[in-house]
Amino acid sequence: MTDVRLAGIGMTSARTRDRLVQRLREQGIINPSVLERIRNVPRHIFVDEALGSRAYEDTALPIGFGQTISQPYIVARMTEALLEAGEVSNVLEVGTGCGYQTAVLAPLVARVNTIERIAPLSTRARQRLKELGIRNVRFRHGDGSLGWKTHAPFDGILVAAAPLTVPEALIKQLRVGGRLLVPIGQEGKQELVRFTRRDQRVERESLGAVAFVPLLGGVA
Ligand code: SAH
């Protein structure tokens, strides 16, 4: 990929990205490292070229296979809420999609393990992150609701698709003190929930209403 394509011009330029960062600040995102990632990750390379001019709008956009790239505000909010756990080194991401959330998060932690159930999305995300020089990510094609036992326990787990109830396997794969960020509920009625695993119990906090695609079982 050429430097010009990565840096962006016109509607994908630095000024357009600054406007997005400003908007997220106004909506309450305060972590400077997260805002820096939103400014630096070229979101336009994660969507179809025809949608490139809309890449720095704060909206979800289609990425094929009936899926969407998450809204920048949500990516920033989830990343920020995850990092509040203190030392966050080993992370599991469920729902790689196009890899945008992965690219925002990866340089802020030691390792991201990411699972996607639609094979071509996983393959393309892997290629994009390689082009961006991001190397601390393990990709897997599979059902993320089962977690990824080999690399557990995780300091944090981010789920980018909504189950109806929290997948127990994910809670089990958190270390004590670790956090699971997951949208829960039916389409149109979801809330973003942060679970924190304690010694003998699991804490649950609601972080507000959100809209995600459903978490599905099996692979495609
Ligand atoms: N994180 C992406 C958003 C992806 S949308 C971004 O940054 O834009 C949610 C993704 O979750 C979709 O690609 C969908 O295929 C995937 N998904 C849904 N159920 C899943 C499951 N059980 N395991 C893994 N991925 C799943």
Side-chain angles (χ1 to χ4, degrees):
M1 200 177 306
T2 64
D3 289 349
V4 171
R5 169 128 166 83
L6 281 181
I9 47 169
M11 287 307 285
T12 61
S13 68
R15 258 185 63 202
T16 313
R17 298 184 198 191
D18 283 344
R19 275 201 290 272
L20 172 62
V21 168
Q22 188 50 37
R23 195 188 145 105
L24 299 192
R25 261 203 205 101
E26 285 161 12
Q27 288 181 282
I29 304 297
I30 53 172
N31 185 318
S33 319
V34 172
L35 290 167
E36 196 54 32
R37 288 306 294 154
I38 297 284
R39 178 180 285 109
N40 289 336
V41 176
R43 191 168 184 255
H44 61 279
I45 72 160
F46 290 85
V47 296
D48 204 78
E49 219 152 329
L51 289 171
S53 65
R54 302 193 51 200
Y56 299 95
E57 290 175 17
D58 190 23
T59 52
L61 295 167
I63 54 170
F65 307 92
Q67 305 303 323
T68 55
I69 181 171
S70 303
Q71 183 194 351
Y73 171 75
I74 284 293
V75 169
R77 182 77 189 97
M78 285 181 92
T79 309
E80 186 172 80
L82 180 83
L83 296 176
E84 282 165 17
E87 187 57 29
V88 178
S89 147
N90 188 35
V91 175
L92 174 67
E93 179 190 44
V94 176
T96 318
C98 61
Y100 176 66
Q101 164 84 70
T102 327
V104 168
L105 174 66
L108 306 177
V109 300
R111 169 73 69 181
V112 179
N113 306 275
T114 186
I115 309 182
E116 170 56 54
R117 67 182 287 278
I118 300 176
L121 286 180
S122 179
T123 306
R124 272 186 233 160
R126 187 193 296 258
Q127 284 162 357
R128 288 194 186 98
L129 266 67
K130 197 171 165 198
E131 284 162 10
L132 293 177
I134 296 173
R135 295 179 209 287
N136 59 335
V137 179
R138 282 192 197 101
F139 291 85
R140 178 174 177 185
H141 171 226
D143 179 358
S145 58
L146 307 173
W148 195 343
K149 252 188 177 162
T150 324
H151 302 298
F154 301 103
D155 303 306
I157 302 179
L158 284 187
V159 185
L164 295 178
T165 57
V166 61
E168 281 304 318
L170 299 184
I171 298 267
K172 283 200 184 118
Q173 292 179 24
L174 277 182
R175 72 158 165 82
V176 172
R179 289 179 161 186
L180 165 62
L181 273 296
V182 56
I184 296 185
Q186 287 170 11
E187 263 179 293
K189 285 191 205 162
Q190 299 162 355
E191 61 171 341
L192 181 60
V193 180
R194 177 164 61 188
F195 292 94
T196 306
R197 183 165 176 179
R198 303 291 181 203
D199 273 332
Q200 304 295 334
R201 68 200 159 87
V202 177
E203 257 168 47
R204 185 188 199 279
E205 290 161 86
S206 175
L207 303 184
V210 285
F212 278 82
V213 295
L215 186 82
L216 303 173
V219 291

